[in-house]
Amino acid sequence: MAHLELKNITVRFGGLYALSELSFAIHTGEILGLIGPNGAGKTTIFNVLTGVYKPTEGDVIFEGESILGKKPHEIFSRGVARTFQNIRLFSKMTALENTMVAMHCRSNKGVMGALLRTNSQKAEEAYIKEKALEALKFMGVVQFADSVASNLPYGSQRRLEIARALASEPKVLLLDEPAAGMNPSESSELMKDIARISERGIDVLLVEHDMKVVMGVCNRIVCVEHGIKIAEGSPQEIQNNPKVIEAYLGQPAAKHD
Amino acid sequence: MDSFIQQLINGITLGGIYALIALGYTMVYGVIQLINFAHGEFFAAGGYVGVIFLSFFTGLGYMETHPIFCLTASFALAMMYCAYLAIGVEKIAYKPLRKEARLAALLSALGVSIFLSNGLMLTQGVYDKAYPSELFQGGFNFGIITIGYLQVLIVCLTGALLVALNLLVFKTKIGMAMRATAQDKTMSALVAIGSNNIISLTFAIGAGLAAAAGIMVGLYYGSVRYDMGFLPGIKAFSAAVLGGIGNITGAMLGGLIIGMVEIFGAGYISGEYKDVFAFIILIGVLYFKPTGIMGENIDDTRV
Amino acid sequence: MSKKNFSIMVMAIITTLFIISASSAESLKIGSMSPLTGPYASDGTDIKNGVLTAIEVFEKQEGGIPGYDKIELFPQDDVCDPRNAVAAANKLINLKVVGVIGAYCSSCTIPASETLDEAKIVMITPASTNEQVTDRGLPYMFRMCGRDDDQAPAAAKFMKESLNAKTIFIIDDKTTYSQGLADGVSKNSKALGMNVVTHDHVNQGDKDFSAVLTKVKAANPDILYMSLQGYSPAALMSIQAKRMGIKAQIVTQDATFQPKFMEVAKDAAEGVYLTYGFTDPTTPEYKAFQQIYEPKYGKIAAYATYAYDSTIALLRAIKAAGSTEPDKIKAELMKLDFNGASKHVKFKENGDSGSSYIAFKVQNGQFVPYWDPAKGLIK
Ligand SMILES: Nc1ncnc2c1ncn2[C@@H]1O[C@H](COP(=O)(O)OP(=O)(O)OP(=O)(O)O)[C@@H](O)[C@H]1O
Ligand SMILES: [Mg+2]
């Protein structure tokens, strides 16, 4: 069943068509891979799904309802969380704070409560802290809870970003090249974590250049090139699709920018 | 030596007042990179709300029977009034310009400053308004040194407000949201932190602290006046820049330094040039450290 | 240009011309110049109010000026800033005023009068006491208040003879007026054998005097002489001095002669001495002024009375001259000899009208005449 769906999406930047007439859906319970060469439009798809870009044409459906034109934070609050290709942490805040901040939308106490330290306020903060620590633990970075984010090792910063997204209790998680910059053992470790995320009932959309990783963890894969969907199917089907081989697998593997 | 200690106490008192005002400049700058030139007017407005309520309570005779209540109520009312005033100013004069060039908001801030100070002049008159004088006269005498009760009150209250602000910013969820907004507005928006609320809150807190400073100044010096926001505003702004604009600890430090330099300059060199000394220190520090004492780099822990 | 735009423009020009000609035919224009905003706004407003009262009285009781429906005042705000004062002078010249009452700060009156004098416009200052105001020999410059070089000796003599002072700590705030007067007090006090322990300065607009007062406390002089521009800093300094437990007797000057001084300083004002031109509040002239002024503007303050007399003098001279020609007005001003609200008005050759400084003491929230340099203790 389609959980989060793109319908005939076109995104134009001036004369450039970053996406044209693109449609696909993330189904409940799956890990969907999104592949394509550099500049294919993968990050643009993320930005459309999370409300950062408004598509020139088309519609975005989440849980049967259009979320087109909704503000990024509204979409986030409804349960679509993401990570970034270039790490975007609050670099001067601790790992724990980074995670707690993302739970802002899950709380409702106002300023006066914060100032007066009401009991319900304290209880809520304690709850949020507990949830945040849980997310850090889940992603294996809890030992860094009180370290400033910019001091974390690179791989842990990536994991922290995922923990932050998880802390918001999302229904769909969009991961933009989470393994970029990791060594092979780190990235295979990460893939196991992604499988565990999926087991928690969170649907995952994964952008990844490393084919081994993608083929190993994804149930289904969508391949885009120049903003057009050129293939969609199981890992086997994609691996054997001549268009994909030509467009993507044919290239010298995994080049990062 | 006795004079030295006396001057030290004078300096801490004045510096504390500057620090309270400087925080508003620095917090607003931290969150929206705007130098809110109208900030000094919140300080003046606070002083006026204070004198209105304190005179009212004194007139009813409550000041003698319930001094703590009257004082607390006056502070609370003045701080709340100025907080809402600041929120209103932000919504009317700055928010519509948020996407425009920075200069537009800066000019708008100057306009608001003139508007507010003239508004005070028209509604409250050009004459000084006296604070009820019976409040907290006298002090502790140690030989030649006198520590006024008001100085004690100001130092304690300033200290308490600074601690409260630090707790709020560094220990609460809302403070976390403020710091997040200051660091990366787009990202905070993505994690559903309403930047409008945070900006309003920042203005409100800054103006509230300035209002508290306004009442303290009124109590300490005995009167308020419609244009009282101008000079302290400039000094506090300098303090914020000295400490590293955008940095809370820096603003407190900057305020104390400017207050001390002024008092010691006047006390040991000449009162004539005390402002000059303050600005020499400012220029000197900025020459060697353009981001100010605590300003590390552009995206330092700001609010 | 479209026909419509053109006709609108023509109409606008005609209306403007009509308004200009209509107004110039009806009213006699005079200007005033004083700080209406900024730190001295209160004293400046008193001056404006004094002038307005004089116009009202003159129109009602002396029948106005023949040939004019009314007398119109163009009050200018100089903010006690010399640049603004010169700009205000130029504006008044363009408005073609017949005479100007002002300014308040000596530092404004001096440059503004140079500009006005070139245009041959009479200027009468109700408040600028610096010697240079009349010592430059400008033909159209007059002064209703006293001179610092009369006030300073009176103050020194008072401190020596009445207060038996030996040591004096002087503080001024660096305006032409306050510093000039402080220098004069310092010179005269030394000449009388008193010791000026320190002559320190503060800045205009300062509120915190704790640093300089700590010095005063350490020096422990007999007298703290405050020469500050306006009642407001004087009140603040008195309060802070009292709070610090300073024993020195405070003596100050004419800028403090403002009932607001007591209103703000309250207890701290009690017992403060100041020198100010003697005005007898029991004369019929003073009472006539008081009757009109106080219901409208509140208690009479330092310079309102001088501003009132300055305006009455100017209007009477214009009426007597029967013309707005500068030299005729000047000639009539020199002939004036009348009892004003503040004092007996008779201009000398240099434009001064004499000083009558005496010492006042603040008692029960009032300025009470205390000591006269000629006669000693009053009463
Ligand atoms: N804000 C923008 N303005 C203009 N062009 C843009 C913008 N964002 C993306 N593009 C263009 O759209 C195209 C798709 O970019 P996108 O970042 O989505 O690719 P990608 O598939 O994520 O590539 P990579 O693998 O390098 O991350 C590129 O040509 C890019 O230059
Ligand atoms: Mg990308």
Side-chain angles (χ1 to χ4, degrees), chain B residues 204-282:
Chain B
I205 293 175
L209 294 176
I215 302 195
M216 288 185 208
V217 159
L219 285 168
Y220 187 44
Y221 300 132
S223 69
V224 286
R225 196 180 155 111
Y226 76 94
D227 60 356
M228 69 189 267
F230 180 67
L231 263 184
I234 291 183
K235 303 261 175 72
F237 170 62
S238 312
V241 173
L242 178 66
I245 190 131
N247 186 300
I248 288 186
T249 325
M252 297 178 193
L253 202 67
L256 272 179
I257 293 176
I258 297 264
M260 290 282 189
V261 169
E262 231 177 73
I263 293 289
F264 279 99
Y268 289 98
I269 311 175
S270 166
E272 196 170 359
Y273 298 118
K274 62 173 199 195
D275 294 344
V276 179
F277 301 133
F279 287 109
I280 287 175
I281 297 278
L282 178 67

Side-chain angles (χ1 to χ4, degrees), chain A residues 13 16 18 37-44 53 85 177 209 257:
Chain A
F13 295 113
L16 175 93
N38 290 120
K42 305 180 293 290
T43 302
T44 305
Y53 291 163
Q85 187 170 353
E177 301 194 27
H209 279 291
D257 43 1

Side-chain angles (χ1 to χ4, degrees), chain C residues 291-321:
Chain C
Q291 259 175 17
I292 310 272
Y293 186 94
E294 291 200 338
K296 269 195 183 165
Y297 308 116
K299 272 191 150 182
I300 294 172
Y303 303 108
T305 321
Y306 287 137
Y308 173 82
D309 280 345
S310 305
T311 315
I312 293 287
L314 176 68
L315 294 175
R316 284 190 182 164
I318 295 170
K319 193 170 187 172

